[in-house]
Amino acid sequence: MDMNMNNNNNKGKSKLKQNQKKRVELILLILYAIGFYAFCICRSLHLSRADHFSKLHGLRAGWLFPPRLNDVSDAQWRNFRANLPILTLVFGVFTMLANIAGKSFHFRAKGMSIIWLFLSLIYLSYLHGACIIFILLIASANFLLVKIFANAKYFPLLLWIFNLVFLFANRVYQGYSFSKFGRQHWAYLDKFRGTFRWHICFNFVILRMISFGYDYHWAHRDSHFDQEKHIRRCHVCKSGKVCYQILQERNVHTNNFAFTTYLSYLVYAPLYIAGPIISFNAFASQLDVPQNHYSIIEVTWYGLRWVFSLSLMELMTHLFYFNAFAASGSWKKLSPMDIFIIGYGVVNFMWLKFFLIWRYFRFWSLIAGIEAPENMPKCVNNCQNLESFWKSWHASFNKWIVRYMYIPLGGSQRKLLNIWVIFTFVAVWHDLEWKLLSWAWLTCLFFVPEMLVKSAANAFQAEGALGGFVFRELSAVAGAITITCLMVANLVGYVIGPSGINWLISRFLSKEGLHVLGFMLTSFYVGTKLMFQIHDAKQRMQ
């Protein structure tokens, strides 16, 4: 009895010591993180001082700290920011009309699809003008292909060939010209091409056409999705609500695969320009029964948090000119430390930009009763490996890839080969550029060692306190290396291009650069350890 009490006391003391060590470690990590971000902010402010303005492109008169300038060098962010008022007015009117009509006439899927198709075609007519003809013709051809060949064994191959042909052709021929189809009868339509290039938006339509094809193909087969097992594990479904996973995996009735519902899905106004990407099953289900995952109060709070995030972006672009340095090429004249600061700043700017764009359109979709997956569920600084990064960066695209590419290609059994096919598709889907292919293949190269390490980690079970400590430290080091590789891949793909790889490596392998590389890896190591601490805290709360 006494021995048992002594053992319990010893275990209690050991656990207390471990908790004390963890608290000390957490305090030291937080202090380092505060120092790191204070240094980055001070250095960034120094880089954005007045004597650099003449070398930078894309700076405009700012409103937040006049006469300080605002960095609007990113064309995508500049256009989105400039069109926010008109977009808000249009979506406000559209969602109000759709909701009033739906509640007044008790419309189900068919009625709501006609309403949203009508509103969305008005929207597309302004965006693309006469080019809406191209969209409707390609979409109609895809619909016929699906309806005729959906039960054939070779259907998936046929669906992919059809959509890939148009993905490439749309880009190569820059959205086509009406004059090529007959100068006398069609050439005058080239004067009415709208305000936005249709073939850029059509990349998202391609994903939706593939989703429609596969979901219709699978609707004629038994689903392998275990709904009861999912409900037991899902905290959303346990509460009586319906989560997105069920909406996506549960087959809808074949009557919902009508032409009006299909077209409404392809051109659904709130998600048309940039997503998030939603499967046909999920869209059709929510046309019939609007989402109940988010209450009115939760959607309102979601919108208010978006406004706060927009304020952060305005503060960031008025104080720090990260993207302007990258766009103008001025950062090539900077020291390795400043190159690191700019590179890290560009990645954070890109994350916040896409966060704001995707959440804006998702907000309006939620108001309309359609829940799409969240694209940025985690901060870019809270991803310690490539897999968690891609699951949270463009999360809706990741869900689409898993459902329509990864699993049909063989899933985890062929993971090492699948990633090359998938990332090559992701690159050409974005655009036909060598720098994007370089980004894709670099990411795949970085994925290979991560996958091998994970396999080894699963085989190696850390036993005892020492084993657990060693395993955790090695994981943190691996996380630091992965984050560095991830930053390099994104800079190559979206900023410096493949020709800049040698220059970047030479700068960081210089005498000064090696010190910066050490500082970078140490900072990302600390960041990874902090992520582990956050994860442990969440586990304890659950």
Side-chain angles (χ1 to χ4, degrees):
M1 188 76 173
D2 291 338
M3 287 180 66
N4 288 335
M5 288 180 66
N6 288 332
N7 286 334
N8 289 333
N9 288 334
N10 290 334
K11 286 180 180 179
K13 288 178 182 179
S14 176
K15 194 171 183 180
L16 183 64
K17 285 181 180 180
Q18 286 180 2
N19 289 335
Q20 287 175 342
K21 286 180 181 178
K22 284 184 178 180
R23 286 195 196 98
V24 172
E25 182 187 58
L26 180 61
I27 291 169
L28 292 174
L29 291 172
I30 290 172
L31 288 174
Y32 185 95
I34 292 171
F36 170 77
Y37 282 110
F39 170 77
C40 288
I41 289 169
C42 291
R43 195 90 177 194
S44 300
L45 287 170
H46 175 73
L47 283 168
S48 302
R49 65 186 188 276
D51 55 340
H52 279 298
F53 291 174
S54 59
K55 306 170 188 175
L56 303 181
H57 307 310
L59 299 182
R60 301 289 185 271
W63 62 273
L64 198 54
F65 304 112
R68 193 164 182 86
L69 301 177
N70 186 20
D71 183 357
V72 287
S73 55
D74 184 89
Q76 192 176 32
W77 173 248
R78 183 173 63 248
N79 292 332
F80 174 73
R81 184 176 178 269
N83 287 297
L84 259 178
I86 186 65
L87 281 172
T88 303
L89 176 64
V90 168
F91 290 138
V93 172
F94 279 8
T95 51
M96 181 183 69
L97 290 174
N99 289 342
I100 289 173
K103 289 178 181 178
S104 300
F105 299 100
H106 306 287
F107 283 141
R108 303 287 288 189
K110 187 176 181 180
M112 291 307 298
S113 69
I114 292 171
I115 289 172
W116 271 114
L117 179 59
F118 174 72
L119 293 172
S120 298
L121 288 177
I122 294 172
Y123 181 55
L124 263 68
S125 297
Y126 169 76
L127 287 177
H128 308 314
C131 293
I132 196 173
I133 295 171
F134 294 127
I135 297 171
L136 294 175
L137 286 173
I138 298 170
S140 299
N142 183 76
F143 182 80
L144 288 173
L145 181 144
V146 171
K147 286 290 185 175
I148 295 169
F149 298 102
N151 291 321
K153 290 183 179 180
Y154 53 84
F155 169 74
L157 179 63
L158 195 64
L159 181 71
W160 274 103
I161 291 172
F162 177 88
N163 282 279
L164 286 175
V165 164
F166 279 103
L167 179 67
F168 290 121
N170 292 348
R171 287 286 181 163
V172 171
Y173 294 102
Q174 293 294 303
Y176 316 110
S177 171
F178 283 103
S179 60
K180 291 182 179 179
F181 298 95
R183 291 185 176 275
Q184 293 181 345
H185 303 289
W186 301 101
Y188 74 96
L189 290 177
D190 284 322
K191 298 177 183 177
F192 308 100
R193 298 188 70 89
T195 59
F196 205 83
R197 292 175 297 171
W198 75 272
H199 59 283
I200 303 297
C201 294
F202 201 78
N203 283 15
F204 285 97
V205 177
I206 291 281
L207 300 182
R208 296 178 192 121
M209 291 198 302
I210 292 171
S211 173
F212 173 81
Y214 266 113
D215 285 0
Y216 185 69
H217 176 65
W218 290 330
H220 296 84
R221 289 161 172 75
D222 293 331
S223 175
H224 296 292
F225 178 62
D226 191 337
Q227 186 169 316
E228 291 183 4
K229 184 179 179 181
H230 170 82
I231 291 173
R232 287 197 299 269
R233 295 181 176 182
C234 178
H235 69 278
V236 175
C237 297
K238 279 181 182 177
S239 66
K241 299 177 181 179
V242 180
C243 76
Y244 180 82
Q245 186 72 12
I246 281 188
L247 293 171
Q248 175 179 273
E249 299 296 336
R250 187 173 57 193
N251 289 339
V252 296
H253 195 276
T254 51
N255 290 341
N256 285 326
F257 290 88
F259 187 62
T260 52
T261 309
Y262 163 73
L263 276 185
S264 177
Y265 167 62
L266 296 190
V267 298
Y268 175 59
L271 305 179
Y272 174 73
I273 289 180
I277 302 155
I278 183 173
S279 72
F280 178 82
N281 279 351
F283 179 81
S285 298
Q286 293 175 97
L287 273 185
D288 203 32
V289 180
Q291 67 87 21
N292 68 351
H293 186 179
Y294 293 85
S295 66
I296 295 173
I297 294 173
E298 287 172 325
V299 173
T300 304
W301 179 239
Y302 187 85
L304 290 174
R305 282 187 293 150
W306 182 89
V307 172
F308 174 74
S309 302
L310 178 65
S311 304
L312 284 179
M313 176 60 109
E314 288 297 301
L315 184 66
M316 182 180 184
T317 54
H318 277 80
L319 293 178
F320 313 125
Y321 304 145
F322 300 128
N323 202 73
F325 269 99
S328 60
S330 299
W331 68 335
K332 291 186 177 182
K333 301 172 185 176
L334 300 175
S335 67
M337 178 60 77
D338 290 336
I339 291 170
F340 162 63
I341 296 293
I342 295 296
Y344 185 63
V346 167
V347 171
N348 279 272
F349 165 80
M350 287 171 61
W351 179 85
L352 188 54
K353 175 186 75 170
F354 289 122
F355 173 93
L356 286 165
I357 291 172
W358 283 325
R359 288 208 173 188
Y360 176 81
F361 292 118
R362 184 174 185 263
F363 168 73
W364 287 110
S365 185
L366 285 172
I367 291 177
I370 305 289
E371 180 194 354
E374 186 70 87
N375 260 344
M376 295 292 199
K378 287 173 68 176
C379 176
V380 68
N381 295 299
N382 191 22
C383 300
Q384 75 271 22
N385 57 56
L386 289 171
E387 191 169 354
S388 68
F389 173 84
W390 288 117
K391 281 183 178 179
S392 62
W393 179 272
H394 197 166
S396 66
F397 197 10
N398 179 267
K399 288 179 185 293
W400 186 96
I401 285 169
V402 169
R403 180 169 170 79
Y404 302 113
M405 287 190 75
Y406 182 68
I407 293 174
L409 284 171
S412 58
Q413 294 178 351
R414 299 176 183 174
K415 191 172 184 178
L416 203 58
L417 293 174
N418 288 347
I419 58 170
W420 293 91
V421 177
I422 287 168
F423 274 96
T424 300
F425 169 74
V426 170
V428 298
W429 177 83
H430 277 89
D431 207 346
L432 301 178
E433 291 185 9
W434 277 112
K435 70 177 184 179
L436 287 174
L437 283 172
S438 301
W439 159 81
W441 295 334
L442 267 176
T443 304
C444 291
L445 280 175
F446 297 148
F447 246 121
V448 172
E450 180 178 304
M451 288 164 60
L452 294 174
V453 168
K454 277 189 176 181
S455 298
N458 290 332
F460 167 73
Q461 298 294 324
E463 296 181 2
L466 180 62
F469 171 78
V470 171
F471 180 74
R472 196 177 179 90
E473 290 302 307
L474 288 175
S475 298
V477 171
I481 295 170
T482 300
I483 295 167
T484 304
C485 293
L486 184 64
M487 196 168 79
V488 169
N490 278 297
L491 291 177
V492 169
Y494 294 98
V495 181
I496 61 176
S499 60
I501 297 176
N502 291 334
W503 168 82
L504 192 66
I505 292 172
S506 65
R507 292 292 280 154
F508 280 96
L509 290 182
S510 64
K511 187 177 180 180
E512 184 184 1
L514 286 172
H515 291 97
V516 176
L517 188 61
F519 169 73
M520 189 192 323
L521 289 169
T522 302
S523 300
F524 291 152
Y525 164 82
V526 170
T528 305
K529 292 291 290 285
L530 264 176
M531 290 179 226
F532 291 162
Q533 292 274 2
I534 293 167
H535 180 265
D536 291 346
K538 286 181 178 178
Q539 292 289 100
R540 287 194 296 271
M541 287 174 66
Q542 291 174 357

